[in-house]
Amino acid sequence: METAHQFGEETESPKHVAVIMDGNGRWARSRGLPRIAGHKAGAEAVRRTIKACRELGVSHLTLFAFSSENWKRPADEVDDLMGLLRFYIRKEVDELNRQGVSIRFIGADDGLPDDILKLIRDTERTTLDNRNLILTVALNYGSRDELARAARSIAKEVADGTMAPGDVDEAAIARRLDTVGMPDPDLIIRTSGEQRLSNFLLWQAAYSELVFSKVMWPDFDQEALKSAIDEYQRRERRYGAVTA
Ligand code: FPP
């Protein structure tokens, strides 16, 4: 367990904040705009949130950008979202690299257009050694899919005889998840008033504090992040133990 969260101490700032960015569509509809306008405004909120994390001492930010279930949206909206991601990554990577932000992606490759796969691999490579903020973008990500992929990889090793069934423990599973090497999220924020995890970081969220913000994602800013962090700091994290 990390020393920053020893029992009885005042809760420190979260090191790893993960966000389910929800409400782009409703934000747009309430303004009589097409849904893509909400996603574009959502990309601005991403920019603000990265800056706010750096200012508030958060070292890891993970954003749920596109879920494995989002393919069920109308083809136009899926195309718009892929186009926006393409545009955003191309446009922002140099500036984020200058700011010392390392950009990583979690999720499945299957189904993503080849040029996006190449873009994300190039981006990861370019920003690999940066340490001011680790930004992880969950793209074509679903937690159950991630766990199934980890289970398949273990099953293959057991079948090959390179792993004994008795060696399948929590650490063996964690090592095969997309988030290998990352700390678990301390705080998970979902915007727009919805209160569920929607297949996001189910394994990693075992001890995360969940904060549900009423703010629609395109309106999310430093003040909204600060308010979620304040709520997190008022909570007492016990990791299954009791306090004295
Ligand atoms: C949820 O709102 C949002 C998404 C599915 C997409 C999030 C993507 C962005 C903010 C684009 C930019 C992202 C990055 C990382 C550059 P919704 O459409 O489900 O909203 P609704 O529930 O109001 O319909």
Side-chain angles (χ1 to χ4, degrees):
M1 201 75 44
E2 291 170 317
T3 49
H5 298 298
Q6 290 302 306
F7 313 123
E9 283 179 16
E10 196 178 301
T11 308
E12 294 187 4
S13 288
K15 284 206 287 284
H16 182 178
V17 175
V19 188
I20 302 174
M21 309 180 287
D22 199 6
N24 294 351
R26 276 162 285 164
W27 181 94
R29 194 173 59 225
S30 71
R31 286 163 177 75
L33 297 169
R35 292 178 62 82
I36 183 63
H39 297 315
K40 280 187 184 151
E44 290 300 322
V46 167
R47 205 170 284 126
R48 285 197 296 275
T49 304
I50 293 170
K51 184 160 178 276
C53 280
R54 297 205 43 220
E55 287 167 4
L56 296 172
V58 172
S59 58
H60 290 71
L61 171 67
T62 299
L63 299 173
F64 203 3
F66 191 88
S67 78
S68 355
E69 289 74 34
N70 285 153
W71 297 108
K72 294 180 206 144
R73 293 186 176 208
D76 281 1
E77 184 173 350
V78 170
D79 285 351
D80 283 347
L81 272 168
M82 288 296 151
L84 186 62
L85 281 160
R86 217 178 251 122
F87 177 77
Y88 181 90
I89 299 168
R90 283 201 192 112
K91 186 160 171 289
E92 298 294 320
V93 68
D94 286 345
E95 175 54 25
L96 291 173
N97 195 29
R98 258 195 300 281
Q99 292 176 25
V101 178
S102 179
I103 310 172
R104 302 170 186 183
F105 293 84
I106 56 172
D109 289 351
D110 291 353
L112 285 177
D114 286 344
D115 72 303
I116 290 205
L117 282 174
K118 181 172 180 327
L119 193 57
I120 69 184
R121 297 296 160 248
D122 290 348
T123 301
E124 286 180 329
R125 205 172 318 110
T126 309
T127 63
L128 186 68
D129 296 326
N130 295 338
R131 285 293 173 273
N132 287 345
L133 177 74
I134 311 294
L135 170 66
T136 302
V137 179
L139 185 60
N140 196 18
Y141 175 86
S143 210
R144 290 180 174 183
D145 172 67
E146 177 191 37
L147 283 160
R149 285 187 280 113
R152 274 200 296 281
S153 130
I154 289 174
K156 189 170 176 306
E157 288 182 51
V158 171
D160 290 349
T162 51
M163 187 175 189
D167 292 338
V168 183
D169 55 10
E170 292 185 16
I173 295 171
R175 271 199 304 277
R176 287 162 181 82
L177 298 178
D178 298 346
T179 49
V180 58
M182 281 166 63
D184 286 342
D186 301 297
L187 166 63
I188 298 181
I189 302 169
R190 182 171 190 147
T191 58
S192 88
E194 303 291 339
Q195 303 194 3
R196 58 185 170 272
L197 281 177
S198 299
N199 206 11
F200 185 50
L201 302 178
L202 300 183
W203 172 279
Q204 300 84 343
Y207 292 103
S208 304
E209 293 295 333
L210 309 182
V211 170
F212 301 105
S213 163
K214 289 210 161 40
V215 173
M216 295 290 155
W217 176 250
D219 290 328
F220 201 79
D221 58 8
Q222 177 156 22
E223 193 191 325
L225 178 63
K226 185 77 182 42
S227 141
I229 291 178
D230 286 348
E231 185 167 341
Y232 165 89
Q233 287 176 322
R234 287 194 294 272
R235 307 254 180 102
E236 184 190 20
R237 301 182 83 196
R238 293 197 297 271
Y239 299 98
V242 289
T243 40

